[in-house]
Amino acid sequence: MQTLNQDIKDHSFKPVYLLFGEEAFLKKSFKNRLKDAITDGDTMNYNYYEGKGMNVNEIISLSDTMPFFAEKRLILMEDSGFFKGGQGAEDVTQYMERIPESTCLIFVESEVDKRSKLYKAVKKHGYAAELSHQDAGQLARWAAGILSKNGKKITGRTMEFFLSKTGDDMENISSELEKLISYTLGRDVITDEDVEIICTTQVTNKIFDMITAIAGRQTRKAMDLYEDLLTLKEPPMRILFLIARQFNQILQVKELMGKGLEKGAIASKLKLQPFVAGKIMMQAKTFSREQILSYVNLCVDAEEGVKTGKLQDRLAVELLITNQY
């Protein structure tokens, strides 16, 4: 990301950029920032293509055309499929060797094969930016920066609480920050109470709370959380999938804790945010390994019961929560 920021700041652009990775917010952000910096509002020398089946010959012809009263011509392509061997990938790869200085190509892709010739050609002649989910520290600094620009302060503990509710999706974090800033108009310090009142708890966090309730034998609370999710139009089978995934993560964390691994190492090994790993570690301590395995098996039984028609999906999850199989 540092390279992208520097190029935008210096107004010095490479012939080709590739933006890819899991973090959609960052891809969208850098796509728009690069576009604005390169075109400076000029639409005459800007072309946009989206989806597979792009006309490669047309794109190359445009790329070879000198910009009209401007320094650069920008061609932006999204989800072309070229980086997964899509039709025209070979022609685009060869073209990387002769992109005119007056043209800039930007690819924004959902899927990229790093072994492909085109990916290697982009790395050779331009810049490939993998924009992945940010870790807890990066998210906290980014969110704190947005709050600071709006005259708001937040403690580290409250920020951790905020991120535990929002998850690590930057689009969602940005939206929740806007709500917090508006809600605290006239005050400069954001509190835990503000976060609790105004921020929407993500579905995965409700699943976490549900399992915490199950561990504490708080069946009524677990069922209330289940009803909340149904009210939010979450399908019972998706809820079952998330419960099963959570118990599988708890089992993995339990085993790694047994090997003496600390939070940071567990987070790295399982590719979790550190604050998420910490929460799962707390859950793992409330279950024995046998109990976790029992719930994993109950999840399998519930799914099988629905698929074979023995149980309705909603009832299957209710039986799982109340452990009545």
Side-chain angles (χ1 to χ4, degrees), residues 158 161-162 164-165 176 180 183 190-201 206 209:
T158 301
F161 176 49
F162 170 73
S164 75
K165 287 179 74 73
E176 295 298 312
L180 266 180
Y183 180 74
I190 290 174
T191 65
D192 285 2
E193 289 74 20
D194 297 327
V195 173
E196 184 62 52
I197 290 168
I198 206 67
C199 294
T200 304
T201 302
K206 285 187 180 289
D209 292 340

Side-chain angles (χ1 to χ4, degrees), residues 84-250:
K84 291 290 285 185
Q87 185 177 358
E90 187 63 35
D91 292 333
V92 177
T93 302
Q94 292 176 7
Y95 186 67
M96 292 296 106
E97 300 286 341
R98 53 183 180 86
I99 302 173
E101 289 185 7
S102 58
T103 293
C104 181
L105 305 178
I106 298 177
F107 296 94
V108 183
E109 302 291 332
S110 299
E111 295 182 286
V112 167
D113 183 352
K114 293 181 181 179
R115 301 167 299 178
S116 68
K117 291 180 181 178
L118 180 54
Y119 177 80
K120 293 173 182 176
V122 169
K123 287 198 71 175
K124 178 181 177 182
H125 298 285
Y127 183 68
E130 184 169 8
L131 302 169
S132 304
H133 288 311
Q134 305 295 284
D135 64 31
Q138 291 168 322
L139 290 174
R141 288 190 293 273
W142 173 69
I146 293 174
L147 291 174
S148 179
K149 288 178 183 176
N150 286 273
K152 304 294 180 183
K153 299 176 184 177
I154 189 169
T155 66
R157 189 175 68 83
T158 301
M159 177 62 79
E160 187 168 335
F161 176 49
F162 170 73
L163 292 175
S164 75
K165 287 179 74 73
T166 63
D168 61 4
D169 181 88
M170 294 179 75
E171 192 77 59
N172 184 59
I173 292 172
S174 178
S175 174
E176 295 298 312
L177 285 172
E178 286 182 19
K179 287 160 59 177
L180 266 180
I181 291 164
S182 297
Y183 180 74
T184 57
L185 199 64
R187 290 191 284 119
D188 61 351
V189 177
I190 290 174
T191 65
D192 285 2
E193 289 74 20
D194 297 327
V195 173
E196 184 62 52
I197 290 168
I198 206 67
C199 294
T200 304
T201 302
Q202 295 300 290
V203 170
T204 50
N205 291 328
K206 285 187 180 289
I207 296 294
F208 182 92
D209 292 340
M210 187 188 298
I211 290 174
T212 298
I214 291 170
R217 301 189 182 281
Q218 297 172 299
T219 304
R220 183 66 263 165
K221 181 177 179 180
M223 286 299 296
D224 286 345
L225 287 164
Y226 179 46
E227 292 294 335
D228 288 347
L229 291 171
L230 293 175
T231 302
L232 292 170
K233 307 297 184 184
E234 285 293 329
M237 291 306 287
R238 171 167 160 75
I239 296 171
L240 176 59
F241 163 76
L242 291 171
I243 291 173
R245 186 181 70 174
Q246 185 72 14
F247 273 114
N248 275 305
Q249 286 185 333
I250 293 171

